[in-house]
Amino acid sequence: MNAIHTLQHPDEPFYQPQDNEQALFEQAWHHGMPVLIKGPTGCGKTRFVQHMAHRLKLPLYTVACHDDLSAADLVGRHLIGAQGTWWQDGPLTRAVREGGICYLDEVVEARQDTAVVLHPLADDRRQLYLERTGEVLQAPPSFMLVVSYNPGYQNLLKGMKPSTRQRFVAMRFGYPAVADEERIVAREAGVDIALAAQVVRLGQALRRLDQHDLEEVASTRLLIFAARMIGSGMDPRQACLACLAEPLSDDPQTVAALMDVVDVHFG
C-alpha cells in the first residue's frame, strides 16, 4: 500500500498534521483495526477523518450520533411503500458492503444497543449481523470503523464502556500549536497570516480563562468563523461577540468578561 504523501491534492480536504496521526491512521486501516479519536469540540476530528478518507480513496459515511440513534438507524430497516416491503441499508451496512469508512461522531451519545452491533465489527471477526434479514456480512479489508467523542462531556451515564473502548486503537486530539493554528485559520478563513495570528492570540487568551465556568473553550472552528467575518469587513468586536463570546456562554457576565479580553486584542 502506498505511503501517505506530504503534498495535498487541490480537492483534498485541508488538514494540518499535528504529529504522527496520519501514519497511525493508515497503519490501523492497513491492519484492519478500528480507530477511536478523542478530543474537544472543534479541534479537527471530523476534518481529519474526511482528509484520510480522501487520501485512502475510500467512501466515507459520517453519522452524527444523538440520544435517539439506535442500532436500526445504523444497520437498516424494512420500509413499506406502494411496491410493498423492502430492506434499506443503513450507513454502517453500506460502508461494510462498499468497503469504506463508517465514522460515528460523538458515539457516546448513541443508545447503548448500538454497541451490540459494533462489537463484532470492532474485533477479529469484522462481521456485521443483520438480524432482520438473517445476513452476516464479512467486512472487506478496506472497511474501517472510526468513532469519536469528547472526553470533557463524559459522565457515568454517557461514557464509553471499557469493553467497547478496548477494541479500538485510540488517538487523542487537542487544539493545534500556535503556529499550526495560525496556518489553519489563515487557510480556512481566507485571510492573511497577520489577521490569523491576531485571532489565534485572542483564542489563546480566551482559553486561559479557566476561572470562568465555561463548558468549552474557544475552538479552532470558532476562531475560523471570527477571522472569516473580520476578513470580510465586519467590525472585529461584533464579529468576536457573535463568533466567540456568545457561543461560549449564555451567562451575560461571562460574555462581558470574554469581551473584555476581546477588547484587549481588538480594542
Side-chain angles (χ1 to χ4, degrees), residues 32-34 117-127 143 145 164 166-168:
M33 300 174 179
V117 174
L118 298 181
H119 280 188
L121 272 175
D123 59 26
D124 292 341
R125 290 170 289 179
R126 286 176 59 84
Q127 292 178 330
F143 169 77
L145 177 64
T164 301
Q166 292 188 29
R167 296 169 188 265
F168 290 82

Side-chain angles (χ1 to χ4, degrees), residues 26-156:
E26 187 184 21
Q27 283 296 313
W29 172 71
H30 177 75
H31 292 290
M33 300 174 179
V35 166
L36 162 64
I37 304 175
K38 300 182 282 187
T41 298
C43 71
K45 301 188 295 294
T46 298
R47 176 60 63 88
F48 172 67
V49 177
Q50 294 171 338
H51 168 79
M52 293 305 300
H54 188 278
R55 285 290 185 103
L56 297 172
K57 297 180 172 57
L58 297 173
L60 173 63
Y61 290 91
T62 299
V63 180
C65 298
H66 53 81
D67 290 341
D68 293 326
L69 186 79
S70 67
D73 294 320
L74 295 178
V75 173
R77 52 173 49 90
H78 284 102
L79 299 178
I80 301 175
Q83 304 302 318
T85 302
W86 74 94
W87 172 262
Q88 179 170 292
D89 285 341
L92 180 60
T93 305
R94 292 198 294 272
V96 172
R97 291 192 196 277
E98 296 180 23
I101 295 175
C102 185
Y103 172 47
L104 307 182
D105 186 21
E106 295 298 342
V107 67
V108 295
E109 297 295 330
R111 282 168 35 176
Q112 289 297 324
D113 65 331
T114 58
V116 177
V117 174
L118 298 181
H119 280 188
L121 272 175
D123 59 26
D124 292 341
R125 290 170 289 179
R126 286 176 59 84
Q127 292 178 330
L128 177 62
Y129 297 93
L130 305 183
E131 184 179 352
R132 303 273 179 95
T133 66
E135 289 181 88
V136 179
L137 301 182
Q138 186 67 47
S142 60
F143 169 77
M144 188 177 196
L145 177 64
V146 182
V147 303
S148 73
Y149 68 88
N150 181 350
Y153 286 162
Q154 281 198 96
N155 57 44
L156 293 176

Side-chain angles (χ1 to χ4, degrees), residues 242-260:
C243 298
L244 292 170
E246 290 289 2
L248 289 175
S249 179
D250 292 329
D251 178 60
Q253 290 184 331
T254 300
V255 170
L258 297 175
M259 290 306 297
D260 287 342

